Amino acid sequence: MIPAKMDAITIATVQEKGIDSVVDWFERHKQPFYALGWFYLRNQQQMEELFYRSIIKVHRELPRYKKDTSFQLWVASIFIDICRELSDDEVTLTSEEDASHQDLFSALDQLEDAEKEAMVLTYGTGFSQEEASHILRVSVDKMKELLFSGTQSVRKQLYGATFNGCKEYQKNYIDYLEKRMERPEKIEFEIHLYKCRECQEDLAAFQDVTLMLHHAEWMNDLTVPEHLIANIKERFSEKEQQRQQKFKKLKKVALVFASVFAIVIGIGFFTGAFANVYYTWTEEDEQLRTFLQQNLGQRVNLEAESDGVKIRIKGVVADDYQTLVFYEIEDTNEDKQYVMNFDDGLIIENENELMKHNTYPRYHPPDLKAEMNKKEKNLFYGKVGLRPLEEDSGVIEMNIERIQELVLDGHEAMLGFGYRSNGFKTGEWKFEIPVTKQPSVEYELNEQAEIEGIPVRLDKLIMAPTATVLEYGIPMGDQDKRIDQIRFGNLKVNGVKVKPDQFGGYQHLQPEHNWQILQMYYDPFYGEEPKDVTVQFDSAYFSYKDQKSIELDANAQYPQTFEYAGSTISIDKVEIGQPTTVVISNHEVENREFETLHINVVGENEHEPISMGMSTEGVIVDKNGVEYDMNSGSFDYEKIEQPRHFVTVQNLMLDGDEIIPKRLDIYGYNSMKYLDDVVEISLD
């Protein structure tokens, strides 16, 4: 049986002897762990693999061991987890050591996995119910249920007899036999036993099995093969020899590298090659590495820990358009990945003094596909966008109060863009981050394009460290047809494609002489000075004026239809109440001119405005005409090519006491048009 108290390995011992210290510990305590593993694996090769993996994991996880848990409990938890990983569905008795207790082993093998684990840990290895429940991660009450049902099953396998004890008292058997009952309950139970012969026989047979299970011989008779630990030591020795050989090769490479290192440095400081090579080797964060290689950011190494979660600020890149902070979050207790979100648990204490007020931080979703975020289940690299600096430099006072858990697969991942709903971790992580703003370069374009007869100005191209920015203008004013928004395709700079920002890529500036001025954000462009630029328009969203009025009569029969913009629209319902409801619909979207209507309902008093609420139903249609139900949630919106949103039903709710509608006024509509227009600009 596992001793009540085992010696623990200290960090100092590991530092002195390395993994050999863990091997020595398992060699001293091999008997109980071998017996424990035997109930999962009946194959000597697998048993050796079990010990080998357990030693590696205990050695690797030792820095995370917390002394508030006993060392043997911690090791047993790791050991059982690996037992489960290696165990097969079919188990056969093949060893001579099993012969003397074969009936007992066979009976235990018939149990459910959870029952068997509870029985072996409590009766075979000597852990208490509380300790065994900790190892198996179940409650003590659940542990008692498993022990009772497991003992009953073993008894039936061994004796085959049927016992008819009173069910309401059977729950007390384990506590009574282990002398864990409170005195009043114990007296009541013994009075019942005195009167009930069935319970006497049932408890006596139950006790026989528990005594048999408590007897240590059935565990100790499982002799550990002499070569078990020796084979494991040999495997570690071979692994160390391979490591030494690899190290020798690396030393030879290092000598060659050292001979040319001075040349690399000399060339590097003049050409930028040194920064490129250096950060390729030393920076794990793929996104931050690119900025550092271009000498466009600052590397910082700041760390704060709260409740077992470490947040490290890795670097910062700032320009006139945003401030990017790169971070790493490590959960040292669990295999969970977290991300931080601006204005959701992340506060910049000195934001009003340090940063510009007339902008809003750009959104940067977590990069779930990056290789660096697939390597460790408890580690995540991310970045968060903050407002740009007002001055050229400063110190960001960042206070993080909560972070959000990520989920990388399953239905929840699809619906939440990687965020686990309500999966928050609270804590206190504070940083003071020094930052210096990097300069941007502006190029005047002074070009004008045309989209369906409407002029579009292309004013500036701005090359900033964190983004490539196209500044453009569209006409404002009272027009029968106007552009509300333009969707841009890739930008080409010197023949290189630069992708548009899909999240918050537009920024509105101060209007100028009946022109609306906007900025479109693209990915950063690294390289030589831009000479040839190609701007592509993918689509534009238009507003049209087209007025029409339809009389309403609450006493009329509905539905009724009317024609508008080449389509037949139905008035499905006009119902007086609190609120009064008007429902209109058009489910035919193929070749439909409009996507949404600009509408209003007028009451009996035309000069008195009506407060109106609205709910809609609709479909999404991609560029190829494929339809998607907006309410289904069974599709990935980000993968739909240039979606159009067609409203099919509009529910108009008129607030007030039985408002009587008299007229439906339509002012116009919105429609998106697909484009394939390209404007080429030369900056020479």
Side-chain angles (χ1 to χ4, degrees):
M1 298 175 68
I2 291 180
K5 185 174 182 180
M6 293 182 177
D7 53 314
I9 306 172
T10 65
I11 298 296
T13 304
V14 173
Q15 290 174 341
E16 178 184 351
K17 298 182 62 179
I19 201 168
D20 288 343
S21 60
V22 184
V23 176
D24 293 344
W25 187 91
F26 268 95
E27 187 168 23
R28 292 194 299 274
H29 307 293
K30 60 187 177 183
Q31 173 62 47
F33 281 100
Y34 183 85
L36 180 58
W38 194 252
F39 282 91
Y40 295 85
L41 312 168
R42 303 292 168 82
N43 179 289
Q44 291 295 349
Q45 186 176 355
Q46 282 189 306
M47 289 293 290
E48 183 180 309
E49 183 67 18
L50 167 62
F51 273 79
Y52 180 76
R53 291 192 191 183
S54 298
I55 289 167
I56 291 175
K57 189 164 185 179
V58 169
H59 178 255
R60 186 175 64 241
E61 300 289 330
L62 194 59
R64 298 186 183 183
Y65 165 60
K66 295 182 177 181
K67 293 186 178 179
D68 55 354
T69 302
S70 72
F71 188 73
Q72 63 266 34
L73 277 183
W74 182 71
V75 174
S77 296
I78 292 174
F79 194 82
I80 284 182
D81 284 342
I82 298 174
C83 284
R84 291 167 175 167
E85 292 174 10
L86 293 174
S87 61
D88 295 325
D89 292 335
E90 294 184 6
V91 178
T92 56
L93 301 173
T94 59
S95 174
E96 294 180 359
E97 288 89 343
D98 294 333
S100 59
H101 303 289
Q102 187 166 349
D103 290 342
L104 179 57
F105 281 120
S106 297
L108 289 168
D109 278 338
Q110 301 304 312
L111 301 179
E112 298 290 335
D113 289 343
E115 292 175 336
K116 186 198 298 186
E117 289 176 338
M119 301 276 281
V120 171
L121 282 173
T122 306
Y123 298 134
T125 61
F127 284 115
S128 68
Q129 290 181 22
E130 290 77 8
E131 291 171 332
S133 66
H134 177 86
I135 294 170
L136 298 181
R137 304 178 184 93
V138 299
S139 67
V140 175
D141 287 340
K142 181 63 177 178
M143 176 61 62
K144 289 179 182 178
E145 292 177 13
L146 294 172
L147 291 174
F148 178 79
S149 60
T151 303
Q152 293 280 67
S153 296
V154 169
R155 184 178 66 178
K156 185 175 182 180
Q157 290 289 327
L158 293 177
Y159 302 146
T162 301
F163 297 90
N164 299 308
C166 301
K167 290 186 177 180
E168 64 268 28
Y169 287 96
Q170 287 178 339
K171 63 182 180 181
N172 297 319
Y173 286 2
I174 291 176
D175 284 344
Y176 180 75
L177 294 174
E178 295 186 4
K179 299 180 173 58
R180 298 164 63 98
M181 292 184 71
E182 297 291 336
R183 182 170 177 78
E185 294 176 346
K186 181 173 179 288
I187 292 172
E188 180 186 348
F189 180 65
E190 288 179 340
I191 291 173
H192 175 77
L193 280 177
Y194 180 77
K195 298 178 180 178
C196 182
R197 185 174 184 81
E198 286 80 6
C199 282
Q200 292 173 15
E201 294 175 352
D202 190 22
L203 179 60
F206 190 93
Q207 185 178 23
D208 285 345
V209 175
T210 58
L211 290 174
M212 182 190 304
L213 290 166
H214 272 299
H215 191 48
E217 287 183 4
W218 65 290
M219 294 287 281
N220 292 333
D221 283 353
L222 292 171
T223 306
V224 183
E226 294 182 2
H227 55 77
L228 177 73
I229 301 298
N231 288 350
I232 292 171
K233 287 182 177 180
E234 186 175 346
R235 288 178 67 176
F236 282 120
S237 177
E238 291 175 357
K239 190 175 181 180
E240 177 63 19
Q241 288 177 6
Q242 293 172 359
R243 190 188 70 81
Q244 291 289 348
Q245 290 174 358
K246 187 176 181 180
F247 179 70
K248 288 178 181 179
K249 291 180 181 179
L250 289 175
K251 285 180 68 175
K252 291 179 181 179
V253 174
L255 289 173
V256 176
F257 174 78
S259 66
V260 298
F261 187 64
I263 299 174
V264 173
I265 291 180
I267 297 173
F269 278 118
F270 292 101
T271 66
F274 178 71
N276 186 64
V277 174
Y278 175 74
Y279 290 117
T280 298
W281 291 338
T282 61
E283 180 52 57
E284 307 96 330
D285 190 317
E286 300 161 6
Q287 300 179 71
L288 174 60
R289 183 194 307 148
T290 304
F291 287 104
L292 296 176
Q293 288 172 333
Q294 300 295 328
N295 292 314
L296 295 176
Q298 300 160 255
R299 197 178 197 179
V300 296
N301 288 296
L302 305 174
E303 181 179 305
E305 182 175 0
S306 181
D307 194 21
V309 175
K310 295 180 181 179
I311 297 181
R312 302 180 184 92
I313 304 299
K314 307 276 290 180
V316 59
V317 184
D319 56 27
D320 290 317
Y321 299 93
Q322 64 179 326
T323 302
L324 284 180
V325 176
F326 294 83
Y327 62 85
E328 168 192 320
I329 301 181
E330 178 186 7
D331 190 338
T332 62
N333 293 329
E334 300 180 83
D335 284 341
K336 291 184 178 180
Q337 293 178 307
Y338 292 95
V339 65
M340 63 174 71
N341 292 313
F342 184 82
D343 273 352
D344 189 3
L346 189 160
I347 302 168
I348 306 301
E349 302 286 1
N350 58 341
E351 184 178 33
N352 291 334
E353 305 89 56
L354 186 66
M355 296 177 167
K356 293 182 180 179
H357 301 159
N358 61 345
T359 61
Y360 196 79
R362 290 172 58 204
Y363 172 64
H364 297 277
D367 190 350
L368 307 180
K369 297 180 180 179
E371 288 300 319
M372 61 185 177
N373 288 327
K374 296 178 181 178
K375 293 179 180 179
E376 302 289 342
K377 293 182 178 180
N378 66 327
L379 192 66
F380 193 84
Y381 294 89
K383 63 182 177 184
V384 62
L386 309 177
R387 288 183 169 91
L389 299 181
E390 191 74 59
E391 304 295 334
D392 290 337
S393 63
V395 176
I396 301 171
E397 297 175 6
M398 179 183 287
N399 181 17
I400 304 163
E401 297 178 344
R402 78 171 187 171
I403 52 181
Q404 188 168 12
E405 185 183 350
L406 290 171
V407 53
L408 305 186
D409 51 25
H411 186 63
E412 192 173 5
M414 183 179 71
L415 294 180
F417 299 99
Y419 300 110
R420 187 180 296 282
S421 57
N422 300 320
F424 293 101
K425 177 84 172 180
T426 58
E428 186 177 18
W429 301 269
K430 291 188 176 182
F431 300 95
E432 292 187 354
I433 309 169
V435 57
T436 300
K437 188 163 61 175
Q438 303 288 330
S440 304
V441 181
E442 290 189 2
Y443 298 90
E444 296 290 337
L445 300 181
N446 296 320
E447 294 279 345
Q448 185 164 297
E450 193 174 275
I451 298 178
E452 293 205 351
I454 300 176
V456 177
R457 284 178 12 193
L458 303 176
D459 296 337
K460 294 179 182 179
L461 181 68
I462 304 164
M463 315 301 289
T466 67
T468 303
V469 183
L470 176 67
E471 190 169 303
Y472 65 100
I474 52 180
M476 298 172 59
D478 191 15
Q479 305 162 349
D480 289 340
K481 176 184 177 181
R482 72 171 188 269
I483 297 175
D484 290 333
Q485 189 182 80
I486 300 172
R487 182 182 177 91
F488 291 85
N490 292 328
L491 191 72
K492 275 191 179 180
V493 181
N494 298 347
V496 178
K497 288 184 180 180
V498 185
K499 293 181 180 180
D501 183 355
Q502 296 181 357
F503 301 93
Y506 294 91
Q507 178 73 38
H508 290 260
L509 303 182
Q510 187 70 28
E512 173 189 310
H513 305 298
N514 291 325
W515 284 84
Q516 184 178 2
I517 309 301
L518 302 98
Q519 290 179 333
M520 175 63 197
Y521 287 84
Y522 297 83
D523 290 345
F525 174 77
Y526 307 114
E528 68 276 13
E529 181 179 341
K531 296 180 180 179
D532 299 305
V533 178
T534 300
V535 179
Q536 181 169 352
F537 303 112
D538 274 357
S539 61
Y541 198 63
F542 294 88
S543 285
Y544 295 86
K545 278 188 176 180
D546 186 4
Q547 296 185 355
K548 185 180 181 70
S549 295
I550 301 96
E551 298 297 323
L552 299 176
D553 184 356
N555 297 317
Q557 293 293 318
Y558 290 97
Q560 295 182 6
T561 61
F562 64 92
E563 301 296 317
Y564 179 79
S567 295
T568 301
I569 300 174
S570 171
I571 303 175
D572 296 338
K573 182 171 68 173
V574 177
E575 185 175 276
I576 310 300
Q578 295 179 336
T580 292
T581 303
V582 178
V583 180
I584 65 173
S585 66
N586 183 334
H587 294 276
E588 296 295 328
V589 298
E590 186 176 0
N591 300 321
R592 199 173 87 179
E593 182 66 23
F594 62 90
E595 292 171 36
T596 59
L597 297 175
H598 304 163
I599 58 179
N600 186 48
V601 176
V602 178
E604 291 179 303
N605 186 349
E606 294 192 13
H607 302 291
E608 184 178 336
I610 299 174
S611 176
M612 184 174 71
M614 181 185 301
S615 65
T616 63
E617 300 173 20
V619 296
I620 296 173
V621 181
D622 67 13
K623 192 174 182 179
N624 301 312
V626 179
E627 295 186 14
Y628 305 84
D629 184 356
M630 292 174 62
N631 300 317
S632 71
S634 60
F635 57 87
D636 188 344
Y637 182 81
E638 299 302 322
K639 294 181 179 179
I640 299 178
E641 184 179 4
Q642 298 190 46
R644 298 181 69 183
H645 300 243
F646 287 91
V647 173
T648 56
V649 179
Q650 288 179 272
N651 296 280
L652 311 175
M653 293 157 284
L654 313 182
D655 295 332
D657 187 10
E658 296 189 346
I659 300 294
I660 299 176
K662 288 296 183 182
R663 191 174 72 245
L664 175 69
D665 286 343
I666 302 178
Y667 303 114
Y669 58 88
N670 291 110
S671 181
M672 192 180 90
K673 305 290 186 183
Y674 293 118
L675 308 173
D676 193 19
D677 301 345
V678 174
V679 179
E680 296 182 359
I681 303 167
S682 177
L683 299 179
D684 289 339

